[in-house]
Amino acid sequence: MKVIRLSGGALVAALLVISPLAAAGGGVSGRVVDRSGDPVPGATVRIECVEGGTPFQLVTDERGRFHAQLPEECTPRLAASLAGVAGGGAAPLDAVPGQEVELRLDLDLFADRIEVRSALARDQVSAREIRESFARDAGDAVARIPGVARLRKGGLAGDLVLRGLKGDNIAVLVDGQRLHGACPNRMDPPAFHVDFAELERIDVAKGLAETTVRGGLGGTVNLVTREPAPGFHAELQATGGAFGYQTETANASWAGARGSVRAGLAKRRGDVYEDGDGVPFTALLPAGNPAAYRDRGGDRTAFDVETGWVHFALVPAAGQRLELAFTRQDADLQLYPYLAMDATLDRADRARASWSLQRADGLLRSLAVSVSRVAVDHDMDDHLRLSSAAAAPGWSMRTETEASVWDEQLEARFRGGWTAGVDAYQRGWDATTRMVGAGGMRVMRSLPDTSLDMLAIWARHERPLTPALRLRAGARVESAAGSADPSLADTALYLAYHGTTATSHRDTYASGHLGLVWQPVPAWELSATLGRAVRPPGPEERYFALRRMGTDWVGDPGLDPAVNHQLELGLRFQGGRIAGNLDAWYSEVDGYITVVEVARQQPVPGVMNPRARSWANQDVRMWGAEASVTLDLGAGLALAATGSFTRGERDLDPTRGIVDRDLAEMPAASGRLTLRWERAAWLAEAEGVAAARQERVDASLLEEATPGWAVANLRGGWQGARFSLLAGVDNLFDRQYREHLSYQRDPFRSGARVPEPGRAWTVSVRWRV
Ligand SMILES: [Cu+2]
């Protein structure tokens, strides 16, 4: 491998790596990476022929890749630059046509880029931002994006809430394939099952354009794993922090012309943390509460997770790629103060196989086929809580669950901006709950061997109508069948509360989007999109069944799919030293699936309780906006501000128990202000994060208002050629505060409102070759 370093501008230099990777003749292709080796999406590559002619430019894709056709008799000269980074472009360098090049932007290390986004792009959290944020999990990391909120249940495993939508309403994917946790209380939300160290970036699509491809009612979150760079690379990282936080990760990869291999290990643990008042989260509930911890001290492991992965890629012929990936995650005891139980075991296996073909010309430009499977075993019980004190087995309630999902996809891209695909999954979910009471132990199939099978076809089209106006459109037709095993289902509960004993359903529906993107001048872009998205009721919402003291908990087999009609408006500005985005949206969801309290409809032998928690379809309206502005102040200083709000309401319907207009679990308005300084190898950052008081709560679910809060965070770092060091303090002033979504409404709720950690330091060291 030949490496040529070029002297460039003060801030941006380019490094050319000519690798033996095959490339098409008559063209030049490669990728742009930063000094950490992370790909740089949205970088500008300027190409000119030494022999003369007009130079041209192109922009790297999401993997930092570019490909250009060259005129006859052209010796290309390339230069890379990134908008928003002062210092100008790199000195040009010559390349040989037909060879793969790697342009290294010698960005000012932890460079904060003024993001170049278009309406077609997605919000992104890069590997660098994940490292720098000290996020404990994906929920933590993605919450930096305006419009995304986090739902905290304990020390780890935060859940994502996107524009007020959570759970099955948003599609969470790994490399485009579906991921589901096992816990009926979402102790293990999908993103929990992927370790950061595996990731290159997280894509968040807030609107409906992506739902055409993978379904869902609202946004799509795609966790993208790393792609090995040419040659051999290794990376070790260790992090230590307050409250016993400790991670060790190792990554190694090799890539050549015929394929690549990549493997890694990650270990992540932490103790019970304390809030700003010094209260450990095991002491949140008063001592008399059955869900209170028996040992209220904080000296205890709160989470301990190990993940290992291996990935192979083969290039059987030019333009083809065969991939195999396998990941195993193992976690033992994880504490969830927000619930009445803690997880005692969580084991997840992910496997994926895919084949793809890329072509530079012809009708068919690319074809990709993939199959994946995720299987999760999850157990939880109350052995650490007061409720278990008198129970003989050491616990008074226990749930064991198994979940799996097969996902199959075929995607073809054609000439002229057309893409089409077939999308299918088969989801299986089974849970058994045991409860010890006065009459002995009761065994209930709370999720009676349920399944949800889906098959869809979709098509998408994007093309320019005029040089300044682009069209984007998509359509999807989907059929989903849900069922529970009738011999295991507690149909008496369905009958008592919903007047049905059905255990299978099929729903067929269509969705799509149509939008325009107008770029009157290069610095401005306006977009408008109208979309429709549908999601079928999940196995839990239809078939969950649990008899409890006082109130039961029962799914509604008669639920209909939720249908979302949404209007999205976007405005982006990018010029000189300032960049900004503004997104506004309004949606009407017919049959939005919400938690409700229902009364028993008819007497059924054995069903004693008069009331139950259940789910219902409700017509709701939701709207909100997100804004972000970045300002380059010069001298290495940058100021960034983001803000968002979300609202949800519905019509009153006292006969169905809807006595409050406000939708439950809506995040509060929030914002973030960051001042960042970078010079040579050094970085410093001060950040303020704040949320408003949330008073728009659902009184019918006894939801309570949450006070507003503001905290400050500090970061500092240094990066050398091989070593880098990052240190910081979160919640500098040790404030006691909690986010609005930080308590569970039902079932198995403990009543605890989980505060955020008090002042917490973190130090991280990274070594890479
Ligand atoms: Cu659980």
Side-chain angles (χ1 to χ4, degrees):
M1 184 178 291
K2 193 171 156 197
V3 178
I4 309 162
R5 182 179 274 281
L6 291 128
S7 59
L11 284 164
V12 183
L15 182 74
L16 175 68
V17 180
I18 297 174
S19 82
L21 280 178
V28 60
S29 62
R31 66 175 198 163
V32 176
V33 296
D34 64 18
R35 216 163 101 180
S36 319
D38 294 328
V40 183
T44 302
V45 179
R46 186 175 181 276
I47 302 169
E48 64 175 332
C49 300
V50 175
E51 293 80 4
T54 315
F56 60 100
Q57 292 190 341
L58 41 91
V59 175
T60 56
D61 69 9
E62 285 168 356
R63 292 240 180 220
R65 295 198 150 275
F66 64 90
H67 177 81
Q69 284 296 328
L70 295 173
E72 299 278 316
E73 295 297 311
C74 175
T75 307
R77 180 169 287 176
L78 284 81
S81 62
L82 191 62
V85 176
L93 53 100
D94 298 342
V96 180
Q99 273 181 316
E100 183 89 354
V101 297
E102 188 164 283
L103 291 161
R104 189 159 297 183
L105 275 174
D106 206 2
L107 295 173
D108 217 4
L109 302 174
F110 307 93
D112 191 46
R113 308 157 191 152
I114 290 187
E115 262 182 66
V116 185
R117 286 207 296 145
S118 77
L120 301 179
R122 306 168 185 99
D123 281 278
Q124 240 175 39
V125 182
S126 69
R128 172 207 309 280
E129 288 167 297
I130 294 170
R131 282 197 299 273
E132 285 181 32
S133 71
F134 296 141
R136 300 314 198 229
D137 56 47
D140 258 0
V142 179
R144 299 182 67 80
I145 292 178
V148 181
R150 185 203 31 210
L151 195 156
R152 179 184 283 284
K153 299 185 284 284
L156 196 73
D159 207 350
L160 300 172
V161 179
L162 214 164
R163 286 181 168 174
L165 296 177
K166 66 182 175 72
D168 288 347
N169 287 320
I170 51 178
V172 180
L173 315 166
V174 189
D175 292 324
Q177 297 196 278
R178 282 175 188 81
L179 191 60
H180 287 288
C183 182
N185 304 325
R186 291 179 74 84
M187 281 176 178
D188 64 327
F192 168 74
H193 293 297
V194 185
D195 195 273
F196 278 166
E198 252 187 289
L199 296 183
E200 183 168 293
R201 60 170 207 277
I202 306 172
D203 287 341
V204 178
K206 288 188 273 202
L208 294 193
E210 290 298 310
T211 59
T212 299
V213 180
R214 292 292 169 265
L217 191 66
T220 307
V221 177
N222 189 18
L223 308 157
V224 183
T225 59
R226 294 190 192 195
E227 187 175 89
F232 175 78
H233 296 276
E235 182 186 300
L236 295 172
Q237 187 173 358
T239 305
F243 312 122
Y245 183 61
Q246 201 181 315
T247 71
E248 296 91 26
T249 66
N251 257 301
S253 68
W254 177 87
R258 307 296 298 178
S260 66
V261 57
R262 171 172 69 85
L265 275 172
K267 199 169 154 46
R268 218 167 273 279
R269 69 167 304 282
D271 292 337
V272 170
Y273 67 77
E274 292 175 1
D275 67 9
D277 290 342
V279 177
F281 72 56
T282 41
L284 292 173
L285 290 171
N289 190 307
Y293 282 90
R294 293 163 75 165
D295 171 5
R296 299 167 64 78
D299 191 16
R300 173 182 272 289
T301 302
F303 58 88
D304 192 349
V305 187
E306 286 175 29
T307 315
W309 57 92
V310 56
H311 177 275
F312 302 96
L314 259 177
V315 181
Q320 289 187 37
R321 196 173 162 85
L322 196 63
E323 288 182 54
L324 278 177
F326 185 76
T327 298
R328 163 162 277 208
Q329 187 190 57
D330 223 322
D332 294 328
L333 191 66
Q334 324 282 321
L335 305 190
Y336 295 101
Y338 134 139
L339 294 160
M341 294 192 261
D342 300 294
T344 51
L345 174 143
D346 196 287
R347 198 151 292 154
D349 287 321
R350 292 191 283 117
R352 181 171 68 92
S354 66
W355 173 85
S356 66
L357 169 74
Q358 302 274 346
R359 296 206 305 194
D361 44 30
L363 175 67
L364 180 71
R365 293 300 168 88
S366 76
L367 186 66
V369 186
S370 56
V371 179
S372 75
R373 183 168 194 267
V374 179
V376 185
D377 285 345
H378 175 92
D379 287 4
M380 55 180 168
D381 66 36
D382 66 341
H383 77 277
L384 295 173
R385 313 298 181 100
L386 287 178
S387 51
S388 66
W395 43 262
S396 75
M397 50 182 152
R398 177 177 183 189
T399 299
E400 291 161 278
T401 55
E402 275 180 31
S404 67
V405 59
W406 280 98
D407 184 303
E408 303 91 10
Q409 288 163 23
L410 184 144
E411 188 171 320
R413 200 163 52 79
F414 301 94
R415 186 171 57 206
W418 288 92
T419 314
V422 178
D423 179 24
Y425 66 77
Q426 301 82 38
R427 185 177 173 189
W429 202 5
D430 185 56
T432 303
T433 301
R434 290 177 171 81
M435 284 186 157
V436 182
M441 190 187 300
R442 190 147 60 171
V443 181
M444 290 170 282
R445 297 298 288 254
S446 40
L447 281 168
D449 203 0
T450 64
S451 68
L452 183 62
D453 297 350
M454 189 282 305
L455 177 68
I457 53 167
W458 58 269
R460 214 147 74 142
H461 183 51
E462 285 180 14
R463 69 165 170 159
L465 295 175
T466 73
L469 193 65
R470 291 199 305 281
L471 169 83
R472 51 180 178 168
R476 175 183 177 93
V477 179
E478 185 174 313
S479 183
S483 73
D485 184 334
S487 67
L488 301 173
D490 190 347
T491 50
L493 275 188
Y494 307 156
L495 186 66
Y497 292 101
H498 295 295
T500 174
T501 56
T503 52
S504 69
H505 280 88
R506 176 171 285 281
D507 302 292
T508 302
Y509 39 86
S511 53
H513 70 276
L514 182 67
L516 289 171
V517 182
W518 182 45
Q519 200 167 9
V521 289
W524 288 89
E525 187 186 86
L526 290 109
S527 63
T529 306
L530 199 58
R532 172 188 156 98
V534 187
R535 78 136 174 122
E540 189 180 22
E541 293 155 341
R542 266 188 176 146
Y543 305 117
F544 193 79
L546 192 69
R547 298 178 187 222
R548 300 181 301 178
M549 292 285 286
T551 66
D552 296 311
W553 183 259
V554 61
D556 181 357
L559 282 178
D560 290 322
V563 183
N564 181 14
H565 288 102
Q566 187 163 312
L567 174 69
E568 299 157 22
L569 298 172
L571 171 69
R572 336 234 159 250
F573 172 78
Q574 206 266 306
R577 292 175 169 269
I578 183 165
N581 301 309
L582 179 65
D583 290 289
W585 55 280
Y586 174 79
S587 85
E588 289 194 351
V589 188
D590 296 339
Y592 183 67
I593 299 169
T594 52
V595 173
V596 289
E597 173 106 8
V598 294
R600 198 175 60 202
Q601 278 188 8
Q602 52 183 284
V604 172
V607 180
M608 308 298 189
N609 289 323
R611 306 189 72 78
R613 278 287 155 101
S614 188
W615 285 270
N617 289 115
Q618 294 176 1
D619 296 346
V620 308
R621 296 168 294 281
M622 294 169 77
W623 64 95
E626 299 100 31
S628 63
V629 176
T630 310
L631 201 61
D632 181 353
L633 302 172
L637 271 175
L639 187 69
T642 63
S644 67
F645 83 93
T646 309
R647 288 275 302 274
E649 65 166 45
R650 60 197 164 169
D651 293 330
L652 299 179
D653 187 355
T655 58
R656 298 174 64 209
I658 304 166
V659 295
D660 197 317
R661 298 187 87 87
D662 293 310
L663 273 186
E665 297 188 75
M666 282 294 128
S670 65
R672 186 180 291 264
L673 186 68
T674 311
L675 180 66
R676 193 179 172 94
W677 172 82
E678 295 176 25
R679 216 1 101 82
W682 296 91
L683 155 85
E685 186 181 280
E687 184 178 61
V689 189
R693 179 178 168 82
Q694 179 59 291
E695 288 181 316
R696 300 178 187 283
V697 294
D698 181 359
S700 45
L701 289 179
L702 307 177
E703 213 186 16
E704 289 172 35
T706 303
W709 51 265
V711 294
N713 306 322
L714 285 181
R715 299 264 178 287
W718 175 85
Q719 181 164 331
R722 294 205 163 157
F723 277 99
S724 64
L725 184 74
L726 192 70
V729 182
D730 284 335
N731 192 2
L732 182 65
F733 300 111
D734 211 9
R735 291 283 161 81
Q736 200 277 351
Y737 73 107
R738 54 180 187 248
E739 297 185 349
H740 179 62
L741 302 174
S742 65
Y743 74 101
Q744 166 85 341
R745 280 71 181 165
D746 239 331
F748 302 120
R749 70 161 147 201
S750 68
R753 313 179 115 224
V754 185
E756 292 299 300
R759 180 165 45 228
W761 58 272
T762 309
V763 177
S764 175
V765 188
R766 192 164 77 117
W767 171 85
R768 57 192 301 278
V769 285

